[in-house]
Amino acid sequence: MADAKSTRRIVFTGAAGGIGTMTRPLLARLYPGLVLSDRVEPADLQPHETFVSADLTRPDEVAALLAGADSVIHLGGHSVEGTWDQILQANIIGCYNVFEAAREAGVKRVIFASSNHAIGFYPRRKRIGTDVTVRPDSRYGVSKAFGEALGALYSDKHGIAVTCLRIGNVGPLPLDVRRLSIWISPRDLVQLFQIGLDHPDLRYEIFYGASDNAAGWWDNSRAHRFGYRPRDKAEDHRAHAEAEQAKIGPDPVGDLFQGGGFCSAEFTNDVKRAGP
Ligand code: 15L
């Protein structure tokens, strides 16, 4: 028999995107009440899946989407660097609309997909926790820092349990040497979603979205304290990552910083002044 946990309405924004596509099948098994949302329906929507379209820049559409929701996994938005207007609409206004509609609807939990690009200008040689000052590497990274701040506000002021996941790079394999440090498998990411959706003590947390990576730069002890036990290791795929890296030329700026190419794009500073 389905219990309350499995039937509660959990809204998943950005469901048609890359991360949504990789994690949906795993989540569907755990949470049959999952409602997928995006601007357009995923091409591979399954008969058992529920889909509601919504444009996150439209407060009325977001309010209708979240009516009656228990929790939200908010992945929707622009997932790489973009023009200011793209970032403003999709990631600043869209994110605000989601938190505000969540408050109005009495949503209990929000999981916000932040990104490693909120802290991308930390040098690779530095190990950081989740309590460091943000150092965004792009307008995109700034929008993720904004979402983390918005999450803190809605947690402190309105009592929503908010989990911000500074996601590294999600996929079946680490794509290059940088990703050996920041990679996360889809099933490890789903484990972090589960903590955000179910952990009884959660109020406001930032976790790194990374698997058990020996070359990692991040202290993820907060996630471990909440029970995170990643099952996958980037090192198991080192040969693949190094072979892919050999096809990519050096990036004199990006190679120094955690955010990689997001740091070197549009870069006009002196590298020494920027940090490493
Ligand atoms: C991100 O935040 C992006 O959404 C993703 O497309 C990758 O660029 C990833 O970061 C990364 O840093 O590899």
Coordinates of all heavy atoms in Angstrom, one line a residue, residues 129-185:
G129 N 35.1 24.2 2.4 CA 33.9 23.7 3.0 C 32.7 24.4 2.4 O 32.9 25.2 1.4
T130 N 31.5 24.3 3.0 CA 30.4 25.0 2.5 C 30.2 26.3 3.2 O 29.2 27.0 2.9 CB 29.1 24.1 2.7 OG1 29.1 23.6 4.0 CG2 29.1 22.9 1.7
D131 N 31.1 26.6 4.1 CA 30.9 27.9 4.9 C 31.8 29.0 4.3 O 31.9 30.1 4.9 CB 31.2 27.6 6.3 CG 32.6 27.0 6.6 OD1 33.2 26.6 5.6 OD2 33.0 26.9 7.7
V132 N 32.4 28.8 3.2 CA 33.3 29.9 2.6 C 32.4 30.9 1.9 O 31.3 30.7 1.5 CB 34.3 29.3 1.6 CG1 35.3 28.3 2.3 CG2 33.6 28.6 0.4
T133 N 33.0 32.1 1.8 CA 32.4 33.2 1.0 C 32.3 32.7 -0.4 O 33.2 32.1 -0.9 CB 33.3 34.4 1.1 OG1 33.6 34.7 2.4 CG2 32.7 35.6 0.4
V134 N 31.2 33.1 -1.0 CA 31.0 32.7 -2.4 C 32.0 33.4 -3.3 O 32.4 34.5 -3.0 CB 29.6 32.9 -3.0 CG1 28.6 31.9 -2.3 CG2 29.1 34.3 -2.8
R135 N 32.5 32.8 -4.3 CA 33.4 33.4 -5.3 C 32.9 32.9 -6.7 O 33.5 32.1 -7.4 CB 34.9 33.0 -5.1 CG 35.4 33.6 -3.8 CD 36.8 33.3 -3.6 NE 37.8 34.0 -4.5 CZ 39.1 33.9 -4.3 NH1 39.6 33.1 -3.4 NH2 39.9 34.6 -5.1
P136 N 31.8 33.5 -7.2 CA 31.2 33.1 -8.4 C 32.2 33.4 -9.6 O 32.9 34.3 -9.6 CB 29.9 33.9 -8.6 CG 29.7 34.5 -7.2 CD 31.0 34.6 -6.5
D137 N 32.1 32.5 -10.6 CA 33.0 32.7 -11.8 C 32.3 33.2 -13.0 O 32.8 33.1 -14.1 CB 33.7 31.3 -12.0 CG 32.7 30.2 -12.3 OD1 31.5 30.4 -12.7 OD2 33.1 29.0 -12.1
S138 N 31.0 33.6 -12.9 CA 30.2 33.9 -14.1 C 28.9 34.5 -13.6 O 28.5 34.5 -12.4 CB 29.9 32.6 -14.8 OG 29.4 31.6 -13.9
R139 N 28.1 35.1 -14.5 CA 26.8 35.6 -14.1 C 25.9 34.4 -13.7 O 25.1 34.5 -12.7 CB 26.1 36.3 -15.4 CG 26.8 37.6 -15.7 CD 26.2 38.2 -17.0 NE 26.6 37.4 -18.2 CZ 27.8 37.6 -18.8 NH1 28.7 38.4 -18.4 NH2 28.1 36.8 -19.9
Y140 N 26.1 33.3 -14.3 CA 25.5 32.0 -13.9 C 25.8 31.7 -12.5 O 24.9 31.4 -11.7 CB 25.9 30.9 -14.9 CG 25.5 29.5 -14.5 CD1 24.2 29.1 -14.5 CD2 26.5 28.6 -14.0 CE1 23.9 27.8 -14.1 CE2 26.2 27.3 -13.7 CZ 24.9 26.9 -13.7 OH 24.6 25.6 -13.3
G141 N 27.1 31.8 -12.1 CA 27.5 31.5 -10.7 C 26.9 32.5 -9.7 O 26.5 32.1 -8.6
V142 N 26.8 33.7 -10.1 CA 26.2 34.7 -9.3 C 24.7 34.4 -9.0 O 24.2 34.5 -7.9 CB 26.3 36.1 -9.9 CG1 25.4 37.1 -9.2 CG2 27.7 36.6 -9.9
S143 N 24.0 33.9 -10.1 CA 22.6 33.5 -9.9 C 22.5 32.3 -8.9 O 21.5 32.2 -8.2 CB 22.0 33.2 -11.3 OG 22.4 31.9 -11.8
K144 N 23.5 31.5 -8.9 CA 23.4 30.3 -8.0 C 23.6 30.8 -6.5 O 23.0 30.3 -5.6 CB 24.4 29.2 -8.4 CG 24.1 28.6 -9.7 CD 22.7 28.0 -9.7 CE 22.3 27.3 -11.0 NZ 20.9 26.7 -11.0
A145 N 24.6 31.8 -6.4 CA 24.8 32.3 -5.1 C 23.5 33.1 -4.6 O 23.1 33.0 -3.4 CB 26.0 33.3 -5.1
F146 N 22.8 33.7 -5.5 CA 21.5 34.4 -5.2 C 20.5 33.3 -4.7 O 19.8 33.5 -3.7 CB 21.0 35.1 -6.5 CG 19.6 35.6 -6.4 CD1 19.3 36.8 -5.8 CD2 18.6 34.8 -6.9 CE1 18.0 37.2 -5.7 CE2 17.2 35.3 -6.8 CZ 17.0 36.5 -6.2
G147 N 20.4 32.2 -5.4 CA 19.5 31.2 -5.0 C 19.8 30.6 -3.7 O 18.9 30.3 -2.9
E148 N 21.1 30.5 -3.3 CA 21.5 30.0 -2.0 C 21.0 31.0 -0.9 O 20.5 30.6 0.1 CB 23.0 29.8 -1.9 CG 23.5 28.6 -2.7 CD 25.0 28.4 -2.6 OE1 25.6 29.1 -1.8 OE2 25.5 27.5 -3.3
A149 N 21.2 32.3 -1.2 CA 20.8 33.3 -0.3 C 19.3 33.4 -0.1 O 18.8 33.5 1.0 CB 21.3 34.7 -0.8
L150 N 18.6 33.2 -1.2 CA 17.1 33.2 -1.2 C 16.7 32.0 -0.3 O 15.7 32.1 0.5 CB 16.6 33.1 -2.6 CG 15.3 33.6 -3.0 CD1 15.1 35.1 -2.6 CD2 15.0 33.4 -4.5
G151 N 17.3 30.9 -0.5 CA 17.0 29.7 0.3 C 17.2 30.0 1.8 O 16.3 29.6 2.6
A152 N 18.2 30.6 2.1 CA 18.5 31.0 3.5 C 17.4 31.9 4.1 O 16.8 31.7 5.2 CB 19.8 31.6 3.7
L153 N 17.0 32.8 3.3 CA 15.9 33.7 3.7 C 14.6 33.0 3.9 O 13.9 33.2 5.0 CB 15.7 34.8 2.6 CG 14.5 35.8 2.8 CD1 14.7 36.6 4.1 CD2 14.3 36.6 1.6
Y154 N 14.2 32.1 3.0 CA 12.9 31.4 3.1 C 13.0 30.4 4.2 O 11.9 30.0 4.8 CB 12.5 30.9 1.7 CG 11.8 31.9 0.9 CD1 12.6 32.9 0.3 CD2 10.4 32.0 0.8 CE1 12.0 33.9 -0.4 CE2 9.8 33.0 0.0 CZ 10.6 34.0 -0.6 OH 10.0 35.0 -1.3
S155 N 14.2 29.9 4.5 CA 14.3 29.0 5.6 C 14.2 29.7 6.9 O 13.4 29.3 7.8 CB 15.6 28.2 5.5 OG 15.9 27.5 6.7
D156 N 15.0 30.8 7.1 CA 15.0 31.5 8.4 C 13.6 32.2 8.6 O 13.1 32.2 9.7 CB 16.1 32.5 8.4 CG 17.5 31.9 8.5 OD1 17.5 30.8 9.1 OD2 18.5 32.5 8.1
K157 N 13.1 32.9 7.6 CA 11.9 33.7 7.8 C 10.6 32.9 7.7 O 9.6 33.2 8.4 CB 11.9 34.8 6.8 CG 10.9 35.9 7.0 CD 11.1 37.2 6.4 CE 12.1 38.0 7.2 NZ 12.2 39.4 6.8
H158 N 10.6 31.8 6.9 CA 9.3 31.2 6.7 C 9.3 29.7 7.1 O 8.3 29.0 6.9 CB 8.9 31.3 5.2 CG 8.8 32.8 4.8 ND1 8.0 33.7 5.4 CD2 9.5 33.5 3.9 CE1 8.1 34.9 4.8 NE2 9.1 34.8 3.9
G159 N 10.5 29.2 7.5 CA 10.5 27.8 8.1 C 10.5 26.7 7.0 O 10.2 25.6 7.3
I160 N 10.8 27.1 5.8 CA 10.9 26.0 4.8 C 12.3 25.3 4.9 O 13.3 26.0 5.2 CB 10.8 26.6 3.3 CG1 9.4 27.3 3.1 CG2 11.0 25.6 2.3 CD1 9.2 28.0 1.8
A161 N 12.3 24.0 4.9 CA 13.5 23.3 5.0 C 14.2 23.3 3.6 O 13.7 22.7 2.7 CB 13.3 21.8 5.4
V162 N 15.3 24.0 3.5 CA 16.0 24.2 2.2 C 17.3 23.5 2.2 O 18.2 23.7 3.1 CB 16.1 25.7 2.0 CG1 16.9 26.0 0.7 CG2 14.8 26.5 1.9
T163 N 17.5 22.8 1.1 CA 18.8 22.2 0.8 C 19.4 22.7 -0.5 O 18.7 22.6 -1.5 CB 18.6 20.6 0.6 OG1 17.9 20.1 1.8 CG2 20.0 19.9 0.5
C164 N 20.5 23.3 -0.4 CA 21.2 23.8 -1.7 C 22.3 22.8 -2.0 O 23.1 22.5 -1.2 CB 21.8 25.2 -1.4 SG 20.6 26.4 -0.9
L165 N 22.2 22.4 -3.2 CA 23.2 21.4 -3.7 C 24.2 22.1 -4.7 O 23.7 22.5 -5.8 CB 22.6 20.2 -4.4 CG 21.6 19.4 -3.5 CD1 20.9 18.3 -4.3 CD2 22.3 18.8 -2.3
R166 N 25.4 22.3 -4.3 CA 26.4 22.9 -5.2 C 26.9 21.7 -6.1 O 27.9 21.1 -5.8 CB 27.6 23.5 -4.4 CG 27.2 24.8 -3.8 CD 28.4 25.4 -3.1 NE 28.0 26.6 -2.5 CZ 28.7 27.2 -1.5 NH1 29.8 26.7 -1.0 NH2 28.3 28.3 -0.9
I167 N 26.2 21.5 -7.1 CA 26.4 20.4 -8.0 C 27.7 20.6 -8.8 O 27.9 21.6 -9.3 CB 25.2 20.1 -8.9 CG1 23.9 19.9 -8.0 CG2 25.4 19.0 -9.8 CD1 22.6 19.8 -8.8
G168 N 28.5 19.5 -8.9 CA 29.7 19.5 -9.7 C 29.3 19.3 -11.1 O 28.8 20.1 -11.8
N169 N 29.5 18.1 -11.6 CA 29.1 17.7 -12.9 C 28.5 16.3 -12.9 O 29.1 15.4 -12.4 CB 30.3 17.7 -13.9 CG 29.9 17.6 -15.4 OD1 30.1 16.5 -16.0 ND2 29.2 18.6 -15.9
V170 N 27.2 16.2 -13.4 CA 26.5 15.0 -13.3 C 26.6 14.2 -14.6 O 26.5 14.8 -15.7 CB 25.0 15.2 -13.0 CG1 24.3 13.9 -12.7 CG2 24.8 16.3 -12.0
G171 N 26.9 12.9 -14.5 CA 26.9 12.1 -15.7 C 27.3 10.7 -15.4 O 27.7 10.4 -14.3
P172 N 27.3 9.8 -16.4 CA 27.7 8.5 -16.2 C 29.2 8.4 -15.9 O 29.7 7.4 -15.2 CB 27.3 7.7 -17.5 CG 27.1 8.8 -18.5 CD 26.7 10.1 -17.7
L173 N 30.0 9.3 -16.4 CA 31.5 9.3 -16.3 C 32.0 10.7 -16.1 O 31.4 11.7 -16.7 CB 32.1 8.8 -17.6 CG 31.9 7.3 -18.0 CD1 32.4 7.1 -19.4 CD2 32.6 6.4 -17.0
P174 N 33.1 10.9 -15.4 CA 33.8 12.2 -15.4 C 34.4 12.5 -16.8 O 35.1 11.7 -17.4 CB 34.9 12.1 -14.4 CG 35.0 10.6 -14.0 CD 33.9 9.9 -14.6
L175 N 34.1 13.7 -17.3 CA 34.4 14.0 -18.7 C 35.8 14.4 -19.0 O 36.3 14.4 -20.1 CB 33.5 15.2 -19.2 CG 32.0 14.9 -19.1 CD1 31.2 16.1 -19.4 CD2 31.6 13.8 -20.2
D176 N 36.5 14.9 -17.9 CA 37.9 15.3 -18.1 C 38.6 15.4 -16.7 O 38.0 15.0 -15.7 CB 38.0 16.7 -18.8 CG 37.1 17.7 -18.1 OD1 36.9 17.6 -16.9 OD2 36.6 18.7 -18.8
V177 N 39.8 15.9 -16.7 CA 40.6 15.8 -15.4 C 39.9 16.7 -14.3 O 39.8 16.4 -13.2 CB 42.0 16.2 -15.6 CG1 42.7 16.6 -14.3 CG2 42.8 15.1 -16.3
R178 N 39.4 17.9 -14.7 CA 38.7 18.7 -13.8 C 37.5 18.0 -13.2 O 37.2 18.1 -12.0 CB 38.2 20.0 -14.5 CG 37.4 20.9 -13.6 CD 37.0 22.2 -14.3 NE 35.9 22.8 -13.6 CZ 34.6 22.7 -13.9 NH1 34.3 21.9 -15.0 NH2 33.7 23.2 -13.2
R179 N 36.8 17.3 -14.0 CA 35.6 16.6 -13.5 C 36.0 15.4 -12.6 O 35.1 14.9 -11.9 CB 34.7 16.1 -14.7 CG 33.7 17.1 -15.1 CD 34.1 18.4 -15.6 NE 33.1 19.2 -16.2 CZ 33.0 19.4 -17.5 NH1 33.9 18.9 -18.4 NH2 32.1 20.1 -18.0
L180 N 37.2 15.0 -12.6 CA 37.6 13.9 -11.6 C 37.5 14.5 -10.2 O 37.3 13.7 -9.2 CB 39.1 13.5 -11.8 CG 39.4 12.6 -13.0 CD1 40.9 12.4 -13.2 CD2 38.7 11.2 -12.8
S181 N 37.5 15.8 -10.0 CA 37.4 16.4 -8.7 C 35.9 16.7 -8.4 O 35.6 16.9 -7.2 CB 38.2 17.7 -8.7 OG 39.6 17.4 -8.9
I182 N 35.1 16.9 -9.4 CA 33.7 17.4 -9.1 C 32.6 16.5 -9.6 O 31.4 16.9 -9.4 CB 33.5 18.9 -9.7 CG1 33.5 18.8 -11.3 CG2 34.6 19.8 -9.2 CD1 33.0 20.1 -11.9
W183 N 32.9 15.4 -10.1 CA 31.9 14.5 -10.7 C 30.9 14.0 -9.7 O 31.3 13.7 -8.5 CB 32.6 13.3 -11.4 CG 31.7 12.3 -12.0 CD1 30.9 12.4 -13.1 CD2 31.6 11.0 -11.5 NE1 30.2 11.2 -13.3 CE2 30.6 10.3 -12.3 CE3 32.1 10.2 -10.5 CZ2 30.3 9.0 -12.2 CZ3 31.8 8.9 -10.3 CH2 30.8 8.3 -11.1
I184 N 29.7 13.8 -10.1 CA 28.7 13.1 -9.3 C 27.9 12.2 -10.2 O 27.5 12.6 -11.3 CB 27.8 14.0 -8.4 CG1 26.9 13.2 -7.5 CG2 27.1 15.0 -9.3 CD1 26.2 14.0 -6.4
S185 N 27.7 10.9 -9.7 CA 26.9 10.0 -10.5 C 25.4 10.3 -10.3 O 25.0 10.9 -9.2 CB 27.2 8.6 -10.1 OG 26.7 8.4 -8.8

